[in-house]
Amino acid sequence: MAYDVLTEEQREIRELVRSLARERVAQRAAEIDASHEFPWDIVELFREHDLFGLFFGEEWGGTGTGTLLGLVAIEEVSKVCATSGLLLAVQELGSLGLKLGGTQEQQERYLPRLASGEWLCAYALTEAGSGSDSAAMRTTARRDGDGYVLDGSKRFITNAGVASLYTVFAKTDPGAGHAGISAFVVESDAPGFEVTRLEPKMGISGSTTGELAFDACRTPAGNLLGAEGEGFKLAMRILDRSRPGIAAQALGIAQGATDYALEYARERVTMGKPIAEHQLIQAKLADMETECEAARGLLYRFGQMVDAGIDGPELTKASAQAKLKCGDLAMWATTEAVQILGGYGYIKEYPVERMMRDAKITQIYEGTQEVQRLVIAREMLRETRAFLLAGVG
Ligand SMILES: Cc1cc2nc3c(=O)[nH]c(=O)nc-3n(C[C@H](O)[C@H](O)[C@H](O)COP(=O)(O)OP(=O)(O)OC[C@H]3O[C@@H](n4cnc5c(N)ncnc54)[C@H](O)[C@@H]3O)c2cc1C
């Protein structure tokens, strides 16, 4: 048996997810891409097989199997359909505010419904004028009696219109910069809340990406996550944990494209032999496979760190490194896969065309690759590399 860092139990669950992905999700991928329709049937499939519970503790009705296995599941699903893999990643992204910053009462109210997948959720940080610079947000929240009143809008929010619960960031003290931002959970039927627009996109077409409007939107005071002013820190802690979900999606896309290109290369004959026997094609395949393994090493290490209870700057750096490596890999490996298929790679009948379009977003959302580099460099500069200075001065 091939060497594997997963335990026997983890391997068994991976096998179940892999079979489900191959037998039930793969056949829907092209249709989801072409129709641009949100795949409620895949949501139902994941509910039936408890996949939404993979990132949740048993006390909330989840599987309690840990972060590493959750990432493995996203990878397996994304090998065949990146939109479907994103369903799992965003359920974690939208729940993390409650998990990391919620009171017992808030967690009891919401987490069981999110773990079962009865409710989908979303994370609303970005605005039209603030993406990478999220502290420049303009949405405000003002205390009014037993609630908060939110005004403003959010842009590019995954699961807009299909989520029942949104983690929303807004300024409770607009003059205080980062320290003036607070986090709330807002239910989709809150008065004054509306999804005002859905974006047509290059890839991950079945996933909704939309604009949220808050027009004197009331949310109970009990829906504030943490204390006023703690929202920015929470937003960043959430991203530390959730970015690797996107890394797992990216790795799945890259491995799916590599696997497809390999099979194609065995069959396609030019100049009297399968293209897999031409050394230039072999070099591409060898590089793709090796880069996937290298990226997997970074990603799984992150999962193991979370499962071992590691937090703080070390986790921040590991998260950004996994996202950076896997996102760039997805774009490069899918481009190589298209090249291996030649003209057929450019045609919609073959899945690598979709995979290449789906890959691009993994270099952009949950922090662009430039932002990941800033994060990694910041953490490097904080570390003491004393041995380098030995003997200097
Ligand atoms: C399909 C999709 C789904 C999304 N889902 C969500 C979601 O669920 N929730 C959510 O809150 N947001 C979501 N986003 C938003 C996404 O996270 C942002 O688009 C992203 O963070 C980049 O922000 P921006 O688009 O404003 O680009 P900008 O911040 O304007 O950046 C433009 C370019 O400048 C670069 N740049 C910016 N600042 C610096 C700097 N200091 N140094 C070097 N380069 C820099 C960027 O890397 C980028 O290349 C989604 C976006 C898309 C397209």
Side-chain angles (χ1 to χ4, degrees):
M1 191 171 50
Y3 173 75
D4 205 321
V5 296
L6 302 190
T7 63
E8 205 177 320
E9 191 204 358
Q10 288 171 329
R11 287 203 295 266
E12 275 170 22
I13 299 176
R14 178 181 60 193
E15 216 34 62
L16 290 175
V17 178
R18 190 174 280 171
S19 311
L20 204 63
R22 285 183 183 165
E23 288 160 23
R24 307 282 299 276
V25 182
Q27 68 207 36
R28 284 276 290 126
E31 210 173 21
I32 292 169
D33 178 58
S35 69
H36 294 222
E37 278 172 17
F38 184 76
W40 283 110
D41 58 323
I42 304 292
V43 172
E44 199 46 51
L45 183 74
F46 290 176
R47 284 175 179 153
E48 275 168 30
H49 292 82
D50 266 347
L51 295 203
F52 288 115
L54 280 168
F55 280 101
F56 292 78
E58 285 175 298
E59 68 274 36
W60 310 121
T63 58
T65 44
T67 296
L68 173 59
L69 192 63
L71 296 172
V72 168
I74 296 172
E75 178 192 347
E76 288 301 327
V77 174
S78 301
K79 279 182 188 173
V80 300
C81 178
T83 291
S84 300
L86 186 59
L87 292 171
L88 300 177
V90 176
Q91 196 71 353
E92 172 69 345
L93 171 67
S95 306
L96 272 166
L98 283 159
K99 290 180 187 170
L100 299 173
T103 61
Q104 183 73 19
E105 193 274 319
Q106 289 170 331
Q107 293 179 344
E108 280 169 11
R109 186 150 29 110
Y110 293 118
L111 290 182
R113 281 185 274 193
L114 299 176
S116 67
E118 179 196 342
W119 277 19
L120 298 180
C121 56
Y123 173 89
L125 181 67
T126 304
E127 298 184 4
S130 65
S132 306
D133 184 10
S134 48
M137 70 176 62
R138 298 178 69 170
T139 298
T140 58
R142 137 183 90 74
R143 182 76 196 237
D144 180 43
D146 59 356
Y148 283 88
V149 177
L150 277 72
D151 280 288
S153 65
K154 295 283 168 183
R155 190 95 194 256
F156 297 157
I157 306 307
T158 302
N159 276 0
V162 297
S164 300
L165 193 70
Y166 296 78
T167 302
V168 179
F169 298 87
K171 285 197 166 162
T172 40
D173 183 355
H178 295 98
I181 296 172
S182 303
F184 302 87
V185 279
V186 177
E187 295 188 20
S188 56
D189 59 1
F193 172 84
E194 204 185 341
V195 175
T196 43
R197 152 194 175 128
L198 293 178
E199 311 283 354
K201 304 187 294 291
M202 177 191 291
I204 54 160
S205 311
S207 171
T208 64
T209 309
E211 187 171 72
L212 316 179
F214 302 89
D215 183 7
C217 169
R218 271 197 88 84
T219 197
N223 281 13
L224 174 71
L225 294 176
E228 278 192 21
E230 289 181 357
F232 187 77
K233 267 194 191 147
L234 182 63
M236 297 302 115
R237 278 195 75 209
I238 293 170
L239 290 175
D240 279 351
R241 303 275 176 145
S242 68
R243 278 176 177 147
I246 298 308
Q249 182 196 31
L251 176 59
I253 297 170
Q255 189 69 65
T258 302
D259 295 349
Y260 194 88
L262 174 67
E263 288 313 306
Y264 184 89
R266 279 192 224 272
E267 303 290 326
R268 177 72 174 171
V269 173
T270 70
M271 290 137 208
K273 55 185 177 183
I275 59 169
E277 288 178 28
H278 296 307
Q279 286 187 349
L280 287 175
I281 297 293
Q282 289 184 348
K284 284 189 194 301
L285 290 169
D287 287 349
M288 289 158 78
E289 182 85 340
T290 305
E291 289 295 319
C292 283
E293 282 300 345
R296 187 170 292 112
L298 281 177
L299 179 67
Y300 286 15
R301 174 172 167 269
F302 171 88
Q304 288 169 325
M305 286 169 75
V306 175
D307 290 341
I310 294 169
D311 205 351
E314 204 187 344
L315 195 74
T316 301
K317 186 175 161 197
S319 162
Q321 287 177 317
K323 161 74 163 63
L324 176 63
K325 180 70 188 170
C326 294
D328 284 354
L329 164 68
M331 198 64 248
W332 170 78
T334 54
T335 309
E336 289 293 77
V338 167
Q339 195 68 21
I340 290 172
L341 267 71
Y344 294 92
Y346 201 69
I347 302 297
K348 284 197 183 287
E349 193 182 334
Y350 292 81
V352 291
E353 180 270 346
R354 180 187 76 246
M355 291 170 171
M356 186 174 154
R357 285 184 288 105
D358 286 345
K360 183 61 203 170
I361 191 60
T362 68
Q363 294 183 305
I364 296 172
Y365 59 12
E366 294 202 31
T368 62
Q369 301 301 74
E370 289 77 12
V371 166
Q372 304 314 315
R373 288 185 169 93
L374 293 179
V375 170
I376 295 163
R378 187 189 63 207
E379 297 308 330
M380 288 170 71
L381 290 166
R382 271 193 200 161
E383 293 164 5
T384 309
R385 304 272 175 102
F387 66 94
L388 289 177
L389 301 177
V392 176

